[in-house]
Amino acid sequence: MNFSIEQLLAFVTVYDQLSFSKAAVKLNKHRTTIGQVITNLEDQLAVSLFERVGRSVKPTEDGHHLYHYAKQTIEQARIFDKVALSLSYGGLESITFAYSSVIPHQILVDIRKKLRRDFPMMRVNFLVRNKKDIKQGLQSGEYHFGLVNVHDSRGIHSFDATFLGHIEFFPFVQKNGEFSSLAKEDVLLALKNAKQFVLKSFLEEGMSEKITISSDNEEVDQLALVIKMVEAGLGWALLPKTFAHSELSHYDIEPIQSSEMEQGFKFGFALWCHHSKQMSDVKSSILSVIKENVDRLLKRD
């Protein structure tokens, strides 16, 4: 069947916007042009994709069914374009690595050491960003790699994604503080009635209902400040279990378990990057560091 990427893009955009006019604005085309493209596509497919309702449109049942496949085809075409473009370029002079605020800093230091050995002339910029910003930065080309929380991500996107596993989060409290002497069956109630510090990035990524236990909670932008607040006995916070074995282990904080929560909250993390020839070697170096850190932590557990 001889349809074009332009036709599929028009179809997907009209589906998303529910309007020929809005789709035309988004694609920088005239409304009549978009309407004709959709009509031609419907003729080629021999199915009706939309019901015209005044100035708006409503997808048909066939349109709903084909949307997913059209979107996948567009994303695969974008990947093809990026990979083909990358083949005409040489090595990278610099990269920007964006990461979730809960990633232990020692992993980032180890990544930088590895990249210095493997790519001694390459500059590496590290930026703390939430998942939405990382995704937008990758799509715009501003970022090259993203280490992100993918607790609710979908599978369709135009960049390379490597699932790394789950990070388990436990309540952390002041070491030898008021929570330390509590029996396991009393811990959860005590946490619900105590002040909880919540990282802003968690809230920005739509995790409020999953990670907010206490009604007395405060939002904090920086991980380092959350740790200081907990260390001072001002409250508690959900932090990765790995922090107990990482560079944060020397702080006066410790994980605490309750009888209702023998296991912590688990969220998946992934490494996102562009599809390109230059990225593959850099990606391999980064993944080798992450694997070494994960294996080491698992042995300690």
Side-chain angles (χ1 to χ4, degrees):
M1 194 167 290
N2 189 27
F3 50 80
S4 67
I5 296 298
E6 180 186 13
Q7 287 176 311
L8 296 183
L9 181 59
F11 164 50
V12 167
T13 307
V14 172
Y15 184 101
D16 289 337
Q17 300 295 320
L18 297 178
S19 166
F20 285 148
S21 299
K22 291 180 180 178
V25 170
K26 193 171 182 65
L27 296 173
N28 197 27
K29 303 283 186 181
H30 195 277
R31 184 191 182 284
T32 56
T33 301
I34 296 298
Q36 189 60 53
V37 169
I38 295 298
T39 298
N40 291 341
L41 180 60
E42 289 177 322
D43 289 342
Q44 288 178 260
L45 299 175
V47 297
S48 177
L49 299 172
F50 298 102
E51 295 176 8
R52 279 68 169 174
V53 185
R55 291 181 175 271
S56 62
V57 296
K58 179 182 177 182
T60 63
E61 185 176 346
D62 289 335
H64 279 299
H65 183 71
L66 290 173
Y67 171 79
H68 175 78
Y69 298 101
K71 190 144 188 167
Q72 279 188 321
T73 302
I74 291 170
E75 295 297 340
Q76 290 298 318
R78 287 175 176 165
I79 292 171
F80 176 86
D81 183 61
K82 289 180 179 179
V83 172
L85 184 63
S86 76
L87 295 176
S88 64
Y89 291 91
L92 294 167
E93 294 183 358
S94 68
I95 63 168
T96 297
F97 189 104
Y99 62 95
S100 168
S101 61
V102 300
I103 302 300
H105 290 172
Q106 188 57 52
I107 293 180
L108 302 175
V109 171
D110 291 344
I111 287 173
R112 187 63 191 95
K113 289 179 179 177
K114 175 67 171 173
L115 293 178
R116 184 176 65 177
R117 292 194 298 268
D118 295 346
F119 310 94
M121 301 304 293
M122 186 172 67
R123 291 190 297 112
V124 183
N125 306 305
F126 286 93
L127 301 174
V128 177
R129 295 291 185 268
N130 62 43
K131 182 173 63 178
K132 180 180 178 181
D133 291 339
I134 291 174
K135 182 177 180 180
Q136 292 175 344
L138 284 168
Q139 290 174 335
S140 69
E142 182 181 358
Y143 308 146
H144 299 86
F145 291 91
L147 194 51
V148 294
N149 179 345
V150 291
H151 73 101
D152 64 348
S153 287
R154 60 186 178 85
I156 303 175
H157 40 61
S158 59
F159 39 83
D160 184 2
T162 302
F163 182 69
L164 305 173
H166 292 84
I167 292 182
E168 190 172 9
F169 287 74
F170 269 94
F172 273 70
V173 299
Q174 182 187 41
K175 189 175 291 185
N176 300 319
E178 60 177 307
F179 292 98
S180 299
S181 59
L182 290 176
K184 278 189 175 184
E185 57 269 22
D186 298 326
V187 168
L188 185 59
L189 180 61
L191 293 176
K192 287 181 177 179
N193 293 322
K195 186 177 297 296
Q196 179 183 1
F197 295 107
V198 182
L199 270 173
K200 181 180 179 182
S201 61
F202 284 167
L203 303 180
E204 292 174 338
E205 293 172 6
M207 297 172 61
S208 176
E209 293 184 1
K210 294 183 178 181
I211 56 90
T212 303
I213 296 175
S214 171
S215 59
D216 180 12
N217 59 79
E218 295 178 0
E219 176 184 320
V220 182
D221 189 42
Q222 295 178 333
L223 174 62
L225 183 56
V226 169
I227 293 168
K228 287 294 185 182
M229 295 291 192
V230 175
E231 192 177 34
L234 297 175
W236 66 275
L238 277 177
L239 297 171
K241 183 181 178 183
T242 55
F243 280 7
H245 304 308
S246 72
E247 75 277 9
L248 298 178
S249 61
H250 67 274
Y251 284 102
D252 286 330
I253 62 174
E254 60 184 355
I256 189 170
Q257 286 185 308
S258 72
S259 56
E260 297 90 347
M261 197 164 53
E262 289 294 335
Q263 292 187 335
F265 298 84
K266 294 181 180 180
F267 301 114
F269 281 77
L271 180 69
W272 289 353
C273 66
H274 300 293
H275 288 274
S276 74
K277 182 180 179 180
Q278 303 96 316
M279 293 292 180
S280 60
D281 290 340
V282 180
K283 175 187 171 184
S284 295
S285 292
I286 293 172
L287 288 178
S288 68
V289 172
I290 294 174
K291 185 178 184 303
E292 288 174 5
N293 276 272
V294 170
D295 289 345
R296 184 170 65 250
L297 291 170
L298 286 176
K299 288 178 181 177
R300 287 180 177 175
D301 290 342

